[in-house]
Amino acid sequence: MRPYLSAVIPVYNEEDNLWPLFDRLVAVLDAIGKPFEIVFTNDGSADRSSAILRELHERRPNEVRVIEFNGNFGQHMAIMAAFEYVRGEIVVTLDADLQNPPEDIPKLLEKIEQGFDVVGGYRRDRQDTWFRRNASRFINLIRARITRIEMRDQGCMLRAYRRHIVDNIATSGEVSTFIPALAYSFAANPTEIEVQHAPRAAGHSKYHLYNLIRLNFDLMTGFSLVPLQVFTMLGFAVSLLSAVLVIYLLLQRIFVGPEVQGVFTLFGIMYFLVGLGIFGLGIIGEYIGRIYLEVRKRPRFVIREVLQRLDGQ
Ligand code: UDP
Ligand code: MG
């Protein structure tokens, strides 16, 4: 029989968080009183996470399932893999670091039961650094403008999905993707609710500036062609402007005579244009990179082992 609820948790070096998370989560799910499963994906942790996940599986062998990756494939691929395994009617994702309180899960379920197929959370009093909060606000704004995705807080991973949404995501086969945005693109009736947010319980964030920038490029190029289109328009505008400049310089040369001054202005303009050109190449490169990843058809992740006990259910 299918469990009512599957909780999906990506884990990357979270040794000090797993037991406290497990205790709180199981308390909440037991209280709901319906069959559930917890699917952890160990995303190539180098600490004791793997051993601890095994202990959790042994503690509740019928409920806890563990997918062991062969390396670090990233948070969204960890969730993707779990989506291929989950059996629940409703699937909830949350982080392993206790920033998303498990106690909020019943609120998400209530909304799903009301008929929404995707329930997103937006974080109240987000407990992250000033830089992260403001960078997110900025990226949320851009995303809202260039994609059709309406989400108050794209970075919040405490979310609930109906079964068919998860099936669509799992079979989409996308390589570098952003799960909440993908879910949104399959949703017929999404909604959002406010959820709590706590400071990370132990350890430190797995996202540095570089992978944050990567993740957001994946989001923009994975869900919108606007960056390319903006660039075409920009190229068009710049060519118009340079045409005006050339005509102006030509007229000046005819009527005023050859000029020597203004060389640096020209350099300034040139560097700007060169910069713009390189930026444009970069954007095209992002899309070509995506196409390359897709056509290469390498596995998106490699699973080393799955701990689960499916009999007796
Ligand atoms: N995570 C993962 N693989 C990664 C990076 C992160 O599975 O490559 C997991 C991590 O263990 C946590 C969740 O994704 O459960 C969110 O990561 P983190 O708390 O570091 O991100 P932040 O809260 O700083 O955005
Ligand atoms: Mg976190």
Side-chain angles (χ1 to χ4, degrees):
M1 199 186 69
R2 272 190 174 176
Y4 167 73
L5 177 74
S6 300
V8 165
I9 303 169
V11 176
Y12 183 46
N13 295 338
E14 304 282 4
E15 56 184 1
D16 293 323
N17 293 321
L18 292 175
W19 271 109
L21 167 73
F22 175 79
D23 289 337
R24 276 174 62 185
L25 182 62
V26 166
V28 170
L29 300 185
D30 274 337
I32 293 172
K34 293 187 177 161
F36 66 86
E37 64 177 7
I38 306 173
V39 182
F40 291 99
T41 306
N42 180 14
D43 187 16
S45 300
D47 63 356
R48 286 170 34 250
S49 294
S50 178
I52 299 171
L53 289 174
R54 189 172 286 272
E55 288 169 25
L56 300 185
H57 169 66
E58 278 156 15
R59 175 67 62 92
R60 300 282 290 249
N62 291 324
E63 280 98 2
V64 175
R65 306 166 71 196
V66 182
I67 300 168
E68 282 281 341
F69 270 2
N70 213 359
N72 181 240
F73 294 90
Q75 178 186 4
H76 291 262
M77 280 305 121
I79 297 174
M80 186 65 99
F83 278 7
E84 293 185 359
Y85 279 81
V86 288
R87 294 168 304 151
E89 270 310 315
I90 301 169
V91 179
V92 170
T93 57
L94 68 160
D95 286 347
D97 56 0
L98 285 166
Q99 290 202 273
N100 305 131
E103 292 74 19
D104 275 340
I105 291 177
K107 284 204 300 188
L108 295 173
L109 296 181
E110 197 181 309
K111 281 282 167 194
I112 290 273
E113 292 294 356
Q114 284 171 16
F116 297 100
D117 52 2
V118 169
V119 183
Y122 53 87
R123 293 168 284 194
R124 199 190 127 142
D125 291 335
R126 182 166 166 194
Q127 301 291 321
D128 281 320
T129 58
W130 181 90
F131 172 75
R132 283 289 295 272
R133 277 181 285 127
N134 286 283
S136 285
R137 194 169 298 161
F138 175 66
I139 296 288
N140 263 296
L141 226 107
I142 298 185
R143 188 223 63 242
R145 290 198 77 96
I146 72 170
T147 68
R148 294 221 188 95
I149 301 164
E150 285 164 34
M151 231 190 283
R152 269 178 77 155
D153 184 4
Q154 63 194 25
C156 180
M157 294 309 282
L158 184 56
R159 292 170 185 273
Y161 309 104
R162 269 269 169 214
R163 172 89 234 160
H164 66 273
I165 301 282
V166 168
D167 288 338
N168 280 332
I169 295 176
T171 49
S172 71
E174 266 202 58
V175 178
S176 30
T177 193
F178 201 91
I179 301 280
L182 199 55
Y184 187 89
S185 63
F186 295 129
N189 192 15
T191 189
E192 293 188 291
I193 62 169
E194 188 177 271
V195 293
Q196 304 294 318
H197 197 240
R200 187 174 241 287
H204 42 78
S205 171
K206 306 300 172 317
Y207 284 98
H208 306 296
L209 186 61
Y210 175 73
N211 33 26
L212 278 178
I213 293 175
R214 283 287 353 132
L215 186 69
N216 283 295
F217 263 116
D218 283 345
L219 173 64
M220 303 297 171
T221 56
F223 292 89
S224 168
L225 285 180
V226 172
L228 275 182
Q229 290 155 349
V230 164
F231 210 78
T232 321
M233 296 313 287
L234 214 65
F236 186 60
V238 167
S239 350
L240 269 183
L241 275 178
S242 16
V244 172
L245 187 71
V246 167
I247 294 170
Y248 168 76
L249 289 178
L250 196 74
L251 292 178
Q252 200 186 36
R253 179 157 185 132
I254 294 169
F255 294 110
V256 187
E259 63 140 8
V260 251
Q261 270 118 33
V263 177
F264 288 105
T265 322
L266 268 187
F267 263 112
I269 296 173
M270 207 178 77
Y271 281 141
F272 172 71
L273 293 184
V274 169
L276 208 66
I278 294 175
F279 180 62
L281 272 181
I283 291 188
I284 296 171
E286 288 289 326
Y287 285 94
I288 294 182
R290 285 190 82 79
I291 299 171
Y292 175 59
L293 285 178
E294 296 290 348
V295 297
R296 209 168 50 178
K297 284 208 168 62
R298 292 212 185 129
R300 298 175 292 171
F301 42 78
V302 180
I303 294 174
R304 188 174 59 211
E305 190 187 1
V306 181
L307 300 180
Q308 59 185 354
R309 194 166 93 190
L310 297 180
D311 48 47
Q313 297 220 9

Short mmCIF file of all heavy atoms in Angstrom, two decimals, residues 36-57:
data_model
loop_
_atom_site.label_atom_id
_atom_site.label_comp_id
_atom_site.label_asym_id
_atom_site.label_seq_id
_atom_site.Cartn_x
_atom_site.Cartn_y
_atom_site.Cartn_z
N PHE A 36 3.51 6.78 6.57
CA PHE A 36 4.43 7.73 5.93
C PHE A 36 5.75 7.04 5.63
O PHE A 36 6.02 5.93 6.10
CB PHE A 36 4.67 8.94 6.83
CG PHE A 36 5.40 8.61 8.11
CD1 PHE A 36 6.79 8.57 8.16
CD2 PHE A 36 4.70 8.32 9.28
CE1 PHE A 36 7.47 8.26 9.33
CE2 PHE A 36 5.36 8.01 10.46
CZ PHE A 36 6.75 7.98 10.49
N GLU A 37 6.58 7.69 4.83
CA GLU A 37 7.96 7.26 4.64
C GLU A 37 8.83 8.50 4.62
O GLU A 37 8.36 9.60 4.31
CB GLU A 37 8.12 6.47 3.32
CG GLU A 37 7.84 7.31 2.10
CD GLU A 37 8.07 6.56 0.77
OE1 GLU A 37 8.31 5.35 0.78
OE2 GLU A 37 7.98 7.23 -0.28
N ILE A 38 10.10 8.32 5.00
CA ILE A 38 11.07 9.43 4.91
C ILE A 38 12.16 8.96 3.97
O ILE A 38 12.76 7.91 4.18
CB ILE A 38 11.67 9.76 6.29
CG1 ILE A 38 10.57 10.02 7.31
CG2 ILE A 38 12.61 10.95 6.18
CD1 ILE A 38 11.09 10.18 8.74
N VAL A 39 12.36 9.72 2.89
CA VAL A 39 13.39 9.33 1.92
C VAL A 39 14.55 10.32 2.02
O VAL A 39 14.40 11.50 1.72
CB VAL A 39 12.84 9.30 0.48
CG1 VAL A 39 13.92 8.83 -0.49
CG2 VAL A 39 11.61 8.41 0.39
N PHE A 40 15.69 9.84 2.50
CA PHE A 40 16.89 10.67 2.55
C PHE A 40 17.73 10.38 1.32
O PHE A 40 17.88 9.21 0.94
CB PHE A 40 17.75 10.32 3.77
CG PHE A 40 17.15 10.69 5.09
CD1 PHE A 40 16.48 9.75 5.87
CD2 PHE A 40 17.29 11.99 5.59
CE1 PHE A 40 15.96 10.09 7.11
CE2 PHE A 40 16.77 12.33 6.83
CZ PHE A 40 16.10 11.38 7.59
N THR A 41 18.30 11.43 0.70
CA THR A 41 19.34 11.17 -0.30
C THR A 41 20.65 11.67 0.26
O THR A 41 20.78 12.86 0.58
CB THR A 41 19.04 11.91 -1.62
OG1 THR A 41 17.74 11.57 -2.06
CG2 THR A 41 20.06 11.52 -2.67
N ASN A 42 21.60 10.78 0.41
CA ASN A 42 22.92 11.20 0.86
C ASN A 42 23.73 11.61 -0.36
O ASN A 42 24.16 10.80 -1.16
CB ASN A 42 23.60 10.06 1.62
CG ASN A 42 24.97 10.48 2.11
OD1 ASN A 42 25.30 11.67 2.11
ND2 ASN A 42 25.77 9.51 2.50
N ASP A 43 23.94 12.93 -0.47
CA ASP A 43 24.54 13.51 -1.67
C ASP A 43 26.07 13.52 -1.57
O ASP A 43 26.70 14.57 -1.65
CB ASP A 43 23.98 14.94 -1.83
CG ASP A 43 24.38 15.58 -3.13
OD1 ASP A 43 24.83 14.86 -4.04
OD2 ASP A 43 24.26 16.81 -3.23
N GLY A 44 26.65 12.36 -1.32
CA GLY A 44 28.12 12.25 -1.29
C GLY A 44 28.75 12.87 -0.06
O GLY A 44 29.84 13.44 -0.15
N SER A 45 28.09 12.76 1.08
CA SER A 45 28.66 13.34 2.31
C SER A 45 30.00 12.70 2.64
O SER A 45 30.19 11.49 2.44
CB SER A 45 27.73 13.12 3.49
OG SER A 45 26.48 13.72 3.26
N ALA A 46 30.91 13.53 3.18
CA ALA A 46 32.22 13.00 3.56
C ALA A 46 32.32 12.82 5.07
O ALA A 46 33.33 12.34 5.58
CB ALA A 46 33.32 13.93 3.07
N ASP A 47 31.29 13.19 5.80
CA ASP A 47 31.33 13.05 7.27
C ASP A 47 30.60 11.76 7.68
O ASP A 47 30.50 10.83 6.89
CB ASP A 47 30.72 14.30 7.93
CG ASP A 47 29.25 14.47 7.59
OD1 ASP A 47 28.72 13.66 6.78
OD2 ASP A 47 28.61 15.39 8.13
N ARG A 48 30.05 11.72 8.87
CA ARG A 48 29.41 10.48 9.33
C ARG A 48 27.95 10.36 8.91
O ARG A 48 27.23 9.46 9.36
CB ARG A 48 29.52 10.38 10.86
CG ARG A 48 30.95 10.03 11.33
CD ARG A 48 31.13 10.18 12.84
NE ARG A 48 29.95 9.85 13.60
CZ ARG A 48 29.19 10.75 14.26
NH1 ARG A 48 29.50 12.02 14.24
NH2 ARG A 48 28.13 10.36 14.93
N SER A 49 27.49 11.24 8.04
CA SER A 49 26.07 11.22 7.65
C SER A 49 25.62 9.85 7.17
O SER A 49 24.54 9.37 7.54
CB SER A 49 25.81 12.24 6.54
OG SER A 49 26.01 13.54 7.01
N SER A 50 26.45 9.20 6.36
CA SER A 50 26.04 7.92 5.78
C SER A 50 25.78 6.89 6.88
O SER A 50 24.76 6.19 6.86
CB SER A 50 27.15 7.45 4.83
OG SER A 50 26.82 6.21 4.31
N ALA A 51 26.70 6.81 7.85
CA ALA A 51 26.54 5.85 8.95
C ALA A 51 25.30 6.19 9.76
O ALA A 51 24.53 5.29 10.16
CB ALA A 51 27.78 5.88 9.83
N ILE A 52 25.07 7.48 9.99
CA ILE A 52 23.91 7.87 10.80
C ILE A 52 22.61 7.54 10.06
O ILE A 52 21.64 7.05 10.65
CB ILE A 52 23.98 9.37 11.17
CG1 ILE A 52 25.24 9.61 12.00
CG2 ILE A 52 22.74 9.81 11.92
CD1 ILE A 52 25.55 11.06 12.25
N LEU A 53 22.60 7.76 8.75
CA LEU A 53 21.40 7.44 7.98
C LEU A 53 21.10 5.95 8.06
O LEU A 53 19.94 5.53 8.14
CB LEU A 53 21.57 7.88 6.52
CG LEU A 53 21.54 9.40 6.30
CD1 LEU A 53 21.87 9.75 4.86
CD2 LEU A 53 20.18 9.99 6.68
N ARG A 54 22.15 5.15 8.09
CA ARG A 54 21.95 3.71 8.25
C ARG A 54 21.30 3.39 9.60
O ARG A 54 20.39 2.57 9.70
CB ARG A 54 23.30 3.00 8.11
CG ARG A 54 23.22 1.50 8.03
CD ARG A 54 24.59 0.93 7.68
NE ARG A 54 24.94 1.16 6.29
CZ ARG A 54 24.61 0.33 5.29
NH1 ARG A 54 23.91 -0.76 5.54
NH2 ARG A 54 24.98 0.59 4.06
N GLU A 55 21.76 4.12 10.63
CA GLU A 55 21.15 3.92 11.95
C GLU A 55 19.66 4.30 11.92
O GLU A 55 18.82 3.60 12.50
CB GLU A 55 21.84 4.79 13.01
CG GLU A 55 23.24 4.33 13.40
CD GLU A 55 23.96 5.40 14.24
OE1 GLU A 55 23.29 6.23 14.91
OE2 GLU A 55 25.20 5.41 14.21
N LEU A 56 19.36 5.41 11.23
CA LEU A 56 17.96 5.84 11.17
C LEU A 56 17.12 4.78 10.46
O LEU A 56 16.00 4.48 10.86
CB LEU A 56 17.83 7.18 10.44
CG LEU A 56 18.58 8.38 11.03
CD1 LEU A 56 18.25 9.65 10.25
CD2 LEU A 56 18.23 8.57 12.49
N HIS A 57 17.69 4.23 9.40
CA HIS A 57 16.97 3.18 8.67
C HIS A 57 16.73 1.97 9.58
O HIS A 57 15.65 1.38 9.57
CB HIS A 57 17.78 2.78 7.43
CG HIS A 57 17.26 1.55 6.76
ND1 HIS A 57 16.03 1.50 6.15
CD2 HIS A 57 17.79 0.31 6.62
CE1 HIS A 57 15.83 0.28 5.66
NE2 HIS A 57 16.89 -0.46 5.93
#
